[in-house]
């Protein structure tokens, strides 16, 4: 790259002397570097004449190519500098698609305050899909339910606990209760959340407690689940922080209580970039603060 810069400086100034001054090197050093470049390319690039240095036919041919190389070098240096300073740096975060934004958005806002130059890309998907993308380095970090187990290459740090609630349709007889037992829901129509990573666990609990549920609708869409419940077709189990704003017909599930742990996950097989490390530290530090009461 020094050879390229020295050649371009001579091509622009038409003088070895002025080019050496611009590049802040001695003229013999600059001349030797250009001579080496000429030897590598197999011919002279510059001619020294009374009126100044001029390009040879070979020099004119390679000039635009070397200019592009020098420009790309500057772009690489700028990108590396931005990476170190966390400016205009993309951070790819995979998020389990059943994690609602209500609580997580506060964590993301806290990170934004710490690193306003980092551009966050959120990629939602199933638990298996998110972990696969993390393994293949398509994302830098993941926010997911790490239970019951994760691959050995995963590094996991719990972020927060989230309880499950029962979302009731308008006018349901259980709305008068502060909590809802699983047994209270037997034979009641409900909306089955196909994307729920704890769906099998809920089914097993119902089987053990002889609770019979009739799935009036099944869907993978979290927004459809809540809309269908609001339309009165049945109730739904869902994580508390997945509730849409303004919904007041949710009751905590008890006997048994059900909850999940939302965790940060990264790959232990590779070094996390600076933005990912700061994201990790910021969210974990914020998770240690007392949680504000839900309105």
């Amino acid at each position: 790259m020094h050879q390229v810069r020295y050649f371009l400086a001579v091509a622009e100034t038409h003088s070895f002397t002025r080019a050496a001054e611009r590049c802040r090197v001695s003229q013999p050093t600059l001349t030797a570097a250009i001579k080496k470049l000429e030897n590598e390319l197999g011919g002279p690039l510059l001619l020294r004449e009374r009126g100044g240095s001029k390009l040879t036919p070979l020099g004119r041919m390679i000039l635009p190519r070397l200019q592009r190389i020098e420009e790309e070098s500057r772009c690489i240096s700028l990108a590396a500098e931005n990476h170190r300073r966390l400016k205009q740096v993309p951070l790819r975060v995979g998020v389990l698609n059943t994690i609602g934004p209500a609580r997580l958005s506060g964590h993301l806002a806290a990170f934004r305050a710490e690193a306003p130059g980092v551009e966050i890309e959120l990629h939602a998907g199933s638990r298996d899909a998110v972990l696969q993308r993390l393994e293949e380095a398509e994302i830098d970090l993941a926010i997911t339910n790490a239970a019951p187990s994760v691959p050995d290459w995963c590094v996991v740090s719990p972020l927060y606990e989230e309880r499950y609630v029962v979302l009731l349709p308008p006018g349901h007889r259980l709305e008068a209760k502060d909590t809802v037992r699983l047994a209270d829901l037997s034979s009641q129509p409900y909306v089955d959340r196909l994307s729920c990573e704890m769906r099998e666990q809920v089914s097993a609990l119902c089987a053990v407690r002889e609770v019979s549920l009739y799935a009036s609708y099944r869907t993978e869409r979290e927004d459809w689940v809540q809309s269908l419940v609001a339309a009165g077709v049945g109730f739904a189990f869902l994580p508390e922080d997945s509730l849409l704003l303004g919904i007041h017909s949710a009751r905590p599930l008890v006997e048994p209580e059900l909850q999940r742990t939302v965790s940060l996950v990264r790959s232990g097989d590779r070094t996390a970039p600076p933005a990912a490390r700061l994201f990790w530290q910021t969210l974990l530090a914020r998770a240690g603060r007392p949680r504000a009461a839900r309105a």
Side-chain angles (χ1 to χ4, degrees):
M1 289 308 305
H2 287 309
Q3 296 169 16
V4 171
R5 294 190 187 99
Y6 297 165
F7 166 75
L8 293 177
V10 176
E12 184 174 340
T13 62
H14 306 288
S15 168
F16 276 71
T17 301
R18 290 196 295 272
E21 292 174 353
R22 173 183 292 187
C23 297
R24 298 182 180 180
V25 296
S26 66
Q27 187 170 332
T29 297
L30 181 138
T31 301
I34 293 178
K35 183 64 176 177
K36 185 177 180 181
L37 180 62
E38 291 176 328
N39 291 337
E40 292 175 354
L41 296 178
L45 303 176
L46 296 159
L47 295 175
R48 290 188 176 185
E49 298 182 352
R50 185 180 297 273
S53 300
K54 296 183 179 180
L55 293 171
T56 66
L58 176 60
R60 288 194 297 272
M61 182 184 72
I62 70 168
L63 176 63
R65 293 173 171 83
L66 294 184
Q67 287 173 330
R68 288 195 294 270
I69 290 174
E70 202 269 341
E71 176 63 24
E72 184 65 22
S73 175
R74 285 201 298 267
C75 291
I76 292 171
S77 298
L78 179 60
E81 181 66 16
N82 287 341
H83 181 76
R84 289 192 295 271
R85 294 179 180 271
L86 298 182
K87 294 172 59 180
Q88 296 179 329
V89 177
L91 177 63
R92 305 161 301 172
V93 181
V95 182
L96 180 66
N97 53 13
T98 63
I99 294 178
R103 187 171 183 179
L104 188 58
S105 58
H107 291 278
L108 298 178
F111 176 72
R112 175 70 178 175
E114 289 287 335
V118 176
E119 302 168 356
I120 298 180
E121 300 174 4
L122 297 177
H123 301 270
S126 67
R127 181 179 180 276
D128 291 342
V130 166
L131 292 180
Q132 181 178 352
R133 297 191 72 176
L134 181 63
E135 182 180 19
E136 296 175 356
E138 295 180 359
I139 56 176
D140 302 301
L141 295 167
I143 302 175
T144 185
N145 177 6
S149 63
V150 294
D152 293 339
W153 53 266
C154 289
V155 178
V156 180
S157 287
L159 193 56
Y160 58 83
E161 300 290 330
E162 184 177 18
R163 64 182 177 178
Y164 269 60
V165 297
V166 180
L167 183 60
L168 299 169
H172 195 279
R173 61 178 179 82
L174 295 175
E175 275 190 322
K177 293 180 174 291
D178 294 328
T179 60
V180 175
R181 300 179 306 153
L182 186 60
D184 296 333
L185 300 168
S186 187
S187 301
Q188 296 291 310
Y190 84 110
V191 181
D192 192 359
R193 297 171 56 246
L194 296 177
S195 61
C196 179
E197 77 282 2
M198 298 180 67
R199 186 166 172 264
E200 293 184 2
Q201 184 176 345
V202 173
S203 297
L205 285 174
C206 290
V208 169
R209 294 172 179 263
E210 298 182 347
V211 173
S212 176
L213 299 179
Y214 168 65
S216 56
Y217 280 88
R218 294 185 175 90
T219 178
E220 294 180 347
R221 290 274 299 270
E222 296 288 285
D223 53 346
W224 274 79
V225 169
Q226 299 191 42
S227 295
L228 288 169
V229 173
V233 301
F235 74 90
F237 299 110
L238 73 162
E240 182 177 19
D241 294 306
S242 293
L243 292 171
L244 297 175
L245 296 177
I247 289 182
H248 303 288
S249 56
R251 303 291 183 270
L253 177 65
V254 296
E255 297 184 28
E257 293 183 351
L258 188 62
Q259 67 180 18
R260 68 178 178 181
T261 302
V262 175
S263 299
L264 281 170
V265 184
R266 61 179 175 84
S267 173
D269 292 342
R270 59 180 182 273
T271 302
R277 293 198 295 270
L278 181 59
F279 185 88
W280 185 279
Q281 295 164 3
T282 301
L283 265 65
L284 290 182
R286 190 175 190 275
R289 302 175 186 174
R291 184 185 180 187
R294 178 181 287 273

